[in-house]
Amino acid sequence: MKKIILLLLCIGLSTNGYTQNEDEKQLKKIYDQALTDGQAYDWLNYLSNQIGGRLSGSLQAQEAVDYTKAQLDSLGLDRVWLQPVKVPKWVRGTPEFAYFETSPGLSTNVPICALGGSIATPLAGIKAGVVEVQGIEDLQKLGKAKIEGNIVFYNRPMDPTVISTFASYSGCVDQRYSGAEEAAKYGAVGIIVRSMNLRLDDYPHTGSMGYGDTPASKRIPAAAISTKGAELLSTTLKLSTDTQFYFKQNCKQFNDVDSFNVIGEIKGSEFPNEIMVVGGHLDSWDLGDGSHDDGAGCVQSMDVLRLLKVTGYKPKRTIRAVLFMNEENGLRGGNKYAEVASGKKEKHVFALESDAGGFTPRGFSFDCSDENLKQVHSWKSLFEPYYIHLFEKGYSGADIRPLKSDDMVLAGLRPDSQRYFVHHHAENDTFEHVNERELELGAATMASLVYLFDKYGIVK
């Protein structure tokens, strides 16, 4: 009878393809360590408050490289190094200024910021009529006769009824990225874009934009206007169609400069040639200090390695933390890492990115085979005590996507996103808006997924 009971107990501990009791204990170790002695918040404090915004090519970006390398060095990893990469250098210049004028001498100031990659206005600024549109598709309907010589005002808001705020963002970000390129074809002299923000406030949100094949002589300046400013301008245009808009910005694009990805790794004990990556992007925009986007993802990735070490887990596979440079306005870091990996014929089997803020983790989205997603679902009960419930197919991350191959798993951490776009690319993306416990829970959740994929491997 005792033998039967022992056999049944062993079966119960090895259901769903994993040794549940052992894995439960390891996840608890990881979460307990993160919540009682996590390092991510302290690292983020330094990045945000001692270094600040880390725009690619800036002094602050280099300081962040030096600081994070030193912290990885202090963890006693098997290897820490810098990977050179050329990055664009765009500088905002003096603060932007804008107002709209309903009659001579009667003006109202509104908050704006230049979009990343935009050209400057003439030294005296630009003043012109305003044509409001709800998106790029409206330009063709209006035609050159109504647009030429005017400023195009893109005012399509993020859809508040879409629960996935990233899906809402995707629904209108094209006007920010391609708005200037398209408006220039119709003779516009500049564009103003409603900020990608679900909240009404006075913070304009920057972000990358491009000119495509537009010749340099035909390029027009582009700026974002705060959501409150956009509402006020739109209302004013309905009351006074001859309203004039003035804006001035002094941004400039320089030649590419040298920078680095920061990489630290723990060598695998059984399959050292199989590489698992966890990462975020070290650069940020310059208006805030880049705490949520993406200082949080960087320090969480660093803490994944620390958590595995201090809990005594010895990885079977090589696990790397990669802090990518230049995600915001070029993706040079992610592309360079993939290029070097390909050149060395490295075998990457798994990559996890955190680039959705330091909010409460809800789960992950996966770019992988059905078989690997099924394996993830078999681990759901391990995550349930930590309120992690989302395991679905979807987007992983911009910096790890260049690594994609048919026989690997890409994943993205998915925190609660409802507050993310309040801070995204804006002046209020600052340290005080990051909750320590939420940040630490994210690091522990990432470390737990890395542990499980390392222990059980990728389903071929």
Side-chain angles (χ1 to χ4, degrees):
M1 176 63 86
K2 289 182 178 178
K3 289 183 179 180
I4 294 174
I5 292 172
L6 183 60
L7 178 62
L8 290 173
L9 181 61
C10 290
I11 292 171
L13 294 179
S14 187
T15 57
N16 295 323
Y18 59 86
T19 50
Q20 184 165 347
N21 192 47
E22 179 183 315
D23 293 335
E24 286 174 353
K25 287 180 178 178
Q26 178 60 25
L27 263 65
K28 182 163 176 43
K29 281 185 189 178
I30 289 171
Y31 276 94
D32 287 354
Q33 178 63 218
L35 294 171
T36 58
D37 191 30
Q39 295 300 302
Y41 195 68
D42 289 340
W43 287 331
L44 185 61
N45 183 14
Y46 191 94
L47 273 179
S48 300
N49 293 321
Q50 300 303 313
I51 296 176
R54 304 169 297 279
L55 194 58
S56 288
S58 67
L59 174 62
Q60 290 83 357
Q62 183 58 46
E63 289 176 344
V65 166
D66 296 337
Y67 172 71
T68 51
K69 182 181 183 298
Q71 297 309 304
L72 288 171
D73 279 330
S74 73
L75 298 181
L77 305 178
D78 294 314
R79 187 184 175 203
V80 178
W81 72 101
L82 300 181
Q83 184 178 75
V85 57
K86 286 281 189 181
V87 299
K89 182 178 177 66
W90 177 84
V91 175
R92 182 173 303 279
T94 55
E96 302 87 343
F97 177 70
Y99 64 81
F100 61 81
E101 185 179 79
T102 51
S103 62
L106 186 59
S107 64
T108 302
N109 293 355
V110 286
I112 69 160
C113 65
L115 294 180
S118 175
I119 64 168
T121 61
L123 287 176
I126 288 176
K127 186 176 182 180
V130 184
V131 177
E132 180 178 352
V133 298
Q134 289 298 300
I136 290 172
E137 60 278 4
D138 286 352
L139 299 178
Q140 186 174 3
K141 298 174 188 175
L142 290 170
K144 190 170 184 178
K146 293 185 178 179
I147 295 174
E148 190 170 27
N150 289 311
I151 294 168
V152 170
F153 168 37
Y154 290 100
N155 194 32
R156 183 167 76 247
M158 290 178 66
D159 186 347
T161 68
V162 178
I163 301 303
S164 169
T165 61
F166 280 87
S168 180
Y169 173 77
S170 296
C172 57
V173 74
D174 64 323
Q175 60 190 341
R176 188 196 76 201
Y177 188 81
S178 302
E181 177 188 0
E182 297 302 319
K185 297 174 183 177
Y186 295 88
V189 295
I191 69 162
I192 298 295
V193 183
R194 182 190 183 98
S195 287
M196 310 290 112
N197 180 9
L198 284 160
R199 186 176 75 168
L200 287 177
D201 62 27
D202 288 319
Y203 293 105
H205 293 229
T206 191
S208 63
M209 55 83 64
Y211 289 107
D213 296 328
T214 308
S217 62
K218 300 291 186 181
R219 294 177 182 180
I220 59 177
I225 185 172
S226 72
T227 48
K228 274 189 176 181
E231 291 289 297
L232 182 59
L233 177 59
S234 181
T235 300
T236 301
L237 289 170
K238 290 178 176 62
L239 298 173
S240 177
T241 56
D242 58 352
T243 295
Q244 298 274 298
F245 192 91
Y246 170 88
F247 74 111
K248 176 179 170 61
Q249 56 192 41
N250 300 280
C251 39
K252 184 176 180 180
Q253 187 76 49
F254 292 88
N255 293 331
D256 290 354
V257 298
D258 294 325
S259 192
F260 304 92
N261 293 327
V262 184
I263 307 171
E265 75 174 21
I266 302 172
K267 203 73 172 175
S269 59
E270 294 183 32
F271 312 107
N273 293 328
E274 293 187 9
I275 300 169
M276 302 176 64
V277 165
V278 58
H281 65 86
L282 194 52
D283 65 303
S284 75
W285 287 106
D286 55 321
L287 296 179
D289 59 43
S291 286
H292 278 299
D293 186 19
D294 184 31
C298 288
V299 297
Q300 286 173 330
S301 300
M302 293 164 65
D303 217 21
V304 167
L305 299 190
R306 190 192 67 86
L307 288 169
L308 294 176
K309 282 183 67 68
V310 298
T311 56
Y313 179 68
K314 298 187 184 306
K316 297 179 180 181
R317 294 161 180 84
T318 295
I319 301 177
R320 285 180 185 168
V322 183
L323 313 184
F324 299 97
M325 184 56 70
N326 185 233
E327 186 271 350
E328 292 293 5
N329 59 336
L331 284 174
R332 302 282 185 87
N335 287 324
K336 173 57 72 172
Y337 181 83
E339 176 192 323
V340 172
S342 176
K344 292 183 175 181
K345 300 190 181 329
E346 292 180 336
K347 183 180 181 182
H348 283 72
V349 296
F350 173 87
L352 168 61
E353 185 167 332
S354 173
D355 186 18
F359 302 102
T360 302
R362 298 300 188 202
F364 304 92
S365 56
F366 294 91
D367 184 354
C368 67
S369 67
D370 292 340
E371 291 76 16
N372 277 293
L373 188 62
K374 184 178 179 181
Q375 176 174 234
V376 170
H377 283 162
S378 77
W379 301 330
K380 285 183 72 172
S381 63
L382 294 169
F383 287 96
E384 285 172 358
Y386 310 101
Y387 300 152
I388 305 301
H389 63 275
L390 180 69
F391 302 93
E392 64 181 12
K393 281 203 171 184
Y395 183 66
S396 56
D399 280 313
I400 61 174
R401 187 165 178 78
L403 288 169
K404 181 177 171 61
S405 66
D406 292 337
D407 57 351
M408 74 177 295
V409 172
L410 301 181
L413 179 69
R414 292 291 161 253
D416 188 302
S417 70
Q418 302 312 311
R419 290 172 288 153
Y420 182 65
F421 288 97
V422 171
H423 306 282
H424 184 245
H425 297 176
E427 186 181 344
N428 63 343
D429 182 6
T430 50
F431 181 71
E432 65 267 26
H433 296 293
V434 177
N435 177 275
E436 181 176 3
R437 187 173 177 84
E438 291 178 339
L439 183 73
E440 291 165 344
L441 284 168
T445 302
M446 294 166 68
S448 297
L449 185 69
V450 170
Y451 156 75
L452 289 166
F453 265 111
D454 176 64
K455 181 175 179 180
Y456 296 104
I458 308 301
V459 180
K460 302 297 185 182

